Amino acid sequence: MSSKSAFNKTLVIAAALLLILAGCGAKKDLNNDETIPAVGDLPEKLKVVTTIYPIYDFTRNVAGEHAEVIPLIPPGAEPHGWEPTPQDLKVIQAADVFVYNGGMVEYWVDQVLDSINHPQLIKVEAIAGLELMPYSHDHFHDHSHGHDHGHNHDQEKSVEGDAHDHAHDHAHDHDHDHDHEHAHDAHAEEHGHDKEAHGEAHVHDHSEDNDTHNEEHAQDAHHEENGHDHDHGHGEGELDPHVWTDPVLAQKQVMNIMEGLAQADPDHKHEYQKNAEEYIAKLQDLDKAFREMAANAKRKEFVVQHAAFGYLAERYGLIQLPIAGLSPEQEPSPSQMADIVKFVKENEVGTLFFETLADAKIAAVLAQETGAKTAVLNPIEGLTADEAGQNLDYIAIMKENLSALQDALNE
């Protein structure tokens, strides 16, 4: 039995159990036949369940003290191959809000949400409204024949300016409900997006329907066109989900999360807005630091374990050269390995970056073959137990990445 078939069977069993449990949540008073709420139904903080680490960290910074934010994926788990258990489905079933990144890093989300019985669950897709970039694996081969970045700098400046303006508006206006909606509409119109599809529909309410928004339909059409199904393998032609590695796009994700929490808990809407503004200010500082680092770097190429830094590279005019594909499990072919070795030697690349959650054996072999050293560049898809114990967070790890890139690009 394939892993996908086993996963589908697990979902069916878990969904049946949830239906049974749903009937046991409240008791009847035999005297007046009025429903007495179970302990879990008593008024309490908003319950928010999140998926990968950056989404958890963004959400808890926006939520502050007004929500209990639960990370579904535990420290030490590599998220590309992680699958939820029946117990995890129960956690989602008990939530008020479910926040996920979107894209194939969480290939299981659609199946899980279709399998649970929770009409009031608000779903927030953090990448909603963002255009995902396609992935191509021929980086080393292409760059060994010249450095054509292929960037549309005018479009990049437009997106970047919009992100900063959008964040700036929220950072300096604490009573901006109408202004925020107007700015969001303007953004959708400016980039040719329909507001209903990309402006508001990223916060889902199951009570309306189970349809996905146009972004998901576009991804499905893309997968069908390229012969892909919703399996967890990442291949040529897949859309890159690692948008959080770009501090500017991370700001947009934070705003999407804020809107979802405000919908679920309108009484604390202004607190969520204020928290989002304060966190966005930190992301703006991070963006400025990366800009300064990249502008002064001696070289632009950096070699990474898997293709998790495409958005960061695009933002700052750098060139990501990944050993593996969108998932660290997608290993290079022998010919691709030969291209990597050739490139590293010919371009005197001094550092090969590996990750803390994925097997670094290929990076180690390449380092031995080429004489390069290894260092950590963290895609922040998840934390190790040690990183969690040190209370490291997205901002702290991104600063470590900044320092590591600065060293490698100036060797």
Side-chain angles (χ1 to χ4, degrees):
M1 181 181 296
S2 68
S3 61
K4 186 174 180 180
S5 298
F7 177 58
N8 290 337
K9 183 176 180 180
T10 300
L11 284 180
V12 171
I13 296 172
L17 290 173
L18 288 174
L19 288 173
I20 296 172
L21 292 171
C24 304
K27 296 183 294 184
K28 295 266 188 172
D29 187 321
L30 297 179
N31 295 322
N32 56 24
D33 201 36
E34 292 180 357
T35 299
I36 300 174
V39 173
D41 298 328
L42 295 176
E44 53 188 10
K45 288 183 178 181
L46 194 70
K47 277 193 172 66
V48 184
V49 173
T50 62
T51 56
I52 59 176
Y53 179 77
I55 300 305
Y56 163 71
D57 200 33
F58 296 162
T59 303
R60 72 185 182 93
N61 275 279
V62 174
E65 64 181 12
H66 297 297
E68 178 187 1
V69 183
I70 302 167
L72 204 59
I73 304 176
E78 209 296 313
H80 287 275
W82 184 87
E83 293 180 348
T85 66
Q87 181 61 38
D88 294 319
L89 267 65
K90 290 171 63 177
V91 173
I92 299 173
Q93 178 79 27
D96 301 303
V97 183
F98 178 67
V99 189
Y100 60 107
N101 182 73
M104 294 308 292
V105 72
E106 304 146 325
Y107 69 93
W108 46 268
V109 163
D110 288 342
Q111 291 174 285
V112 165
L113 293 178
D114 287 342
S115 71
I116 65 175
N117 179 31
H118 192 340
Q120 288 77 40
L121 179 68
I122 291 178
K123 304 181 295 179
V124 182
E125 184 182 43
I127 64 170
L130 300 178
E131 183 177 355
L132 302 187
M133 66 170 62
Y135 168 73
S136 172
H137 69 259
D138 290 328
H139 301 281
F140 288 95
H141 180 76
D142 294 342
H143 286 286
S144 65
H145 295 84
H147 304 298
D148 181 9
H149 294 209
H151 299 324
N152 185 336
H153 291 289
D154 291 337
Q155 182 179 10
E156 178 178 342
K157 289 178 181 178
S158 175
V159 173
E160 170 195 333
D162 178 74
H164 279 283
D165 293 343
H166 189 60
H168 178 79
D169 291 343
H170 285 279
H172 295 280
D173 185 1
H174 289 268
D175 188 15
H176 60 286
D177 297 350
H178 178 74
D179 290 342
H180 167 66
E181 292 172 1
H182 179 74
H184 202 87
D185 296 347
H187 169 73
E189 293 172 3
E190 176 185 352
H191 293 278
H193 297 308
D194 181 80
K195 175 186 174 185
E196 182 177 356
H198 294 280
E200 300 297 333
H202 63 271
V203 179
H204 302 280
D205 188 337
H206 258 311
S207 62
E208 297 177 2
D209 54 58
N210 288 323
D211 293 337
T212 54
H213 56 65
N214 290 350
E215 177 91 12
E216 291 169 325
H217 286 306
Q219 285 197 37
D220 290 344
H222 179 85
H223 293 314
E224 292 172 6
E225 179 181 348
N226 290 279
H228 299 295
D229 64 14
H230 281 232
D231 204 349
H232 60 274
H234 298 288
E236 180 72 16
E238 293 284 2
L239 299 179
D240 187 350
H242 302 87
V243 297
W244 63 85
T245 60
D246 176 353
V248 174
L249 297 183
Q251 296 171 37
K252 294 176 176 286
Q253 292 189 289
V254 168
M255 294 310 303
N256 285 341
I257 292 168
M258 182 277 291
E259 291 172 359
L261 297 186
Q263 177 181 330
D265 182 17
D267 290 343
H268 296 110
K269 178 177 181 177
H270 291 289
E271 287 90 337
Y272 297 138
Q273 290 173 341
K274 180 176 181 293
N275 293 341
E277 291 159 4
E278 291 175 352
Y279 192 68
I280 282 174
K282 296 179 181 179
L283 294 174
Q284 290 173 330
D285 289 341
L286 191 64
D287 169 50
K288 181 180 178 181
F290 268 97
R291 288 183 186 281
E292 293 175 352
M293 179 276 296
N296 296 311
K298 293 179 181 179
R299 65 189 307 143
K300 300 301 180 184
E301 304 90 353
F302 61 101
V303 180
V304 295
Q305 184 164 345
H306 89 283
F309 298 93
Y311 294 95
L312 181 144
E314 179 79 9
R315 176 66 60 191
Y316 302 114
L318 303 175
I319 301 170
Q320 168 194 239
L321 298 172
I323 297 170
L326 291 177
S327 167
E329 298 174 354
Q330 183 189 356
E331 297 183 353
S333 67
S335 64
Q336 290 169 333
M337 286 283 285
D339 284 338
I340 296 170
V341 171
K342 179 181 178 182
F343 181 90
V344 171
K345 287 182 176 180
E346 289 184 351
N347 292 272
E348 298 180 347
V349 175
T351 301
L352 305 179
F353 287 114
F354 70 96
E355 303 167 15
T356 53
L357 287 179
D359 190 341
K361 62 182 180 182
I362 294 180
V365 169
L366 286 170
Q368 185 176 9
E369 178 73 18
T370 61
K373 65 182 180 181
T374 58
V376 173
L377 196 67
N378 196 331
I380 327 180
E381 294 168 332
L383 298 188
T384 65
D386 184 58
E387 288 167 339
Q390 297 178 49
N391 293 320
L392 293 178
D393 58 14
Y394 173 87
I395 297 290
I397 296 175
M398 282 294 282
K399 288 180 178 179
E400 291 183 351
N401 286 343
L402 173 68
S403 178
L405 274 173
Q406 186 171 29
D407 291 342
L409 297 178
N410 290 286
E411 290 176 319

